[in-house]
Amino acid sequence: MNFLQERIEKDGRVLSERVLKVDHFLNHIVDPALMDQIGKAFSNYFKDEKPTKVLTIESGGIAPAFMTALYLNVPLVYAKKALPSTMDHPISTEVYSFTKQKTYTICMEQEAIAPGDRVLFIDDFLADGQAFKGVEDLITQSNAILCGCGFCIEKSFQKGRSYLLEKGYPFYSLAPIQKMVDGKIYWLED
Ligand code: 5GP
């Protein structure tokens, strides 16, 4: 087990066979030292892909993506869930939220990702891959290259993993969950 799997077992809570609560250290109350370890791990794994930008979606992905960008020494861009009036040339797409069970729009400034940028996508969870598909669309609209995807937690039993494997994108999950049964987490490599 790595540092994140140990922390999930200690402080995470299995709410159901499909939902894990990690908001005491990852996506509500945020542990900066843990984010530092996550940033180091993702930057080491993806440095040879030579990312020029790290991209995430607000808000759960921002902390791990920020630390990854810091270690890679590249800018972080986060797609927004509401269109600010200050955005000059927004590009947008629709995303279905697994946890909220509704569709929302994500947007970003067109100039945030330049044509030819090598984009590393970082997020807190991979579940059905809907957030990823939204980001994939924004990257296509920007004529940029998706050079990798890093997920803190992957629920491997949902659809996202097979979509990513099918597409052949380099991806890495720090804590891949095979299943959650009776409050217990079974890791993919177990
Ligand atoms: P996907 O788009 O891959 O279906 O879901 C990814 C997004 O849904 C993540 O960014 C995360 O915010 C949320 N999410 C998915 N599964 C879980 C879960 O088990 N727990 C929490 N806290 N969020 C989740």
Side-chain angles (χ1 to χ4, degrees):
M1 264 203 298
N2 65 29
F3 66 93
L4 183 58
Q5 291 167 314
E6 278 171 13
R7 184 63 180 270
I8 292 166
E9 292 212 348
K10 182 169 158 277
D11 292 332
R13 191 142 58 88
V14 176
L15 295 186
S16 71
E17 292 195 350
R18 289 170 70 86
V19 181
L20 175 67
K21 181 172 158 133
V22 288
D23 62 7
H24 278 57
F25 54 99
L26 184 61
N27 57 12
H28 180 45
I29 303 169
V30 179
D31 179 342
L34 182 72
M35 294 308 123
D36 184 66
Q37 283 181 289
I38 290 173
K40 259 186 214 153
F42 283 143
S43 65
N44 273 333
Y45 188 88
F46 288 111
K47 61 180 182 309
D48 293 341
E49 299 291 339
K50 305 214 177 330
T52 56
K53 297 264 167 67
V54 172
L55 177 61
T56 191
I57 301 178
E58 69 177 353
S59 58
I62 293 179
F66 176 81
M67 290 311 298
T68 307
L70 182 68
Y71 279 108
L72 288 168
N73 197 22
V74 298
L76 162 70
V77 178
Y78 62 90
K80 300 193 174 207
K81 288 180 177 164
L83 180 65
S85 59
T86 50
M87 230 179 236
D88 292 323
H89 305 110
I91 57 171
S92 64
T93 193
E94 302 278 289
V95 169
Y96 178 78
S97 165
F98 169 78
T99 41
K100 300 191 178 84
Q101 305 212 330
K102 64 173 190 191
T103 299
Y104 62 97
T105 302
I106 57 168
C107 62
M108 68 176 197
E109 191 79 75
Q110 180 149 41
E111 292 81 356
I113 305 276
D117 254 335
R118 294 182 60 77
V119 179
L120 172 61
F121 175 56
I122 299 289
D123 209 356
D124 55 351
F125 274 92
L126 174 66
D128 283 336
Q130 299 296 337
F132 170 74
K133 285 180 189 173
V135 160
E136 187 185 30
D137 185 29
L138 291 182
I139 293 171
T140 304
Q141 291 185 52
S142 305
N143 292 311
I145 300 144
L146 179 63
C147 71
C149 315
F151 302 97
C152 299
I153 302 168
E154 173 192 312
K155 292 183 293 175
S156 313
F157 51 88
Q158 291 189 235
K159 294 186 205 125
R161 180 184 176 83
S162 47
Y163 181 77
L164 280 158
L165 286 172
E166 207 176 283
K167 288 283 191 135
Y169 295 121
F171 82 102
Y172 174 48
S173 305
L174 278 166
I177 297 173
Q178 189 198 20
K179 60 181 179 178
M180 299 188 286
V181 179
D182 295 335
K184 182 172 160 43
I185 298 170
Y186 295 81
W187 301 107
L188 192 60
E189 62 268 82
D190 280 355

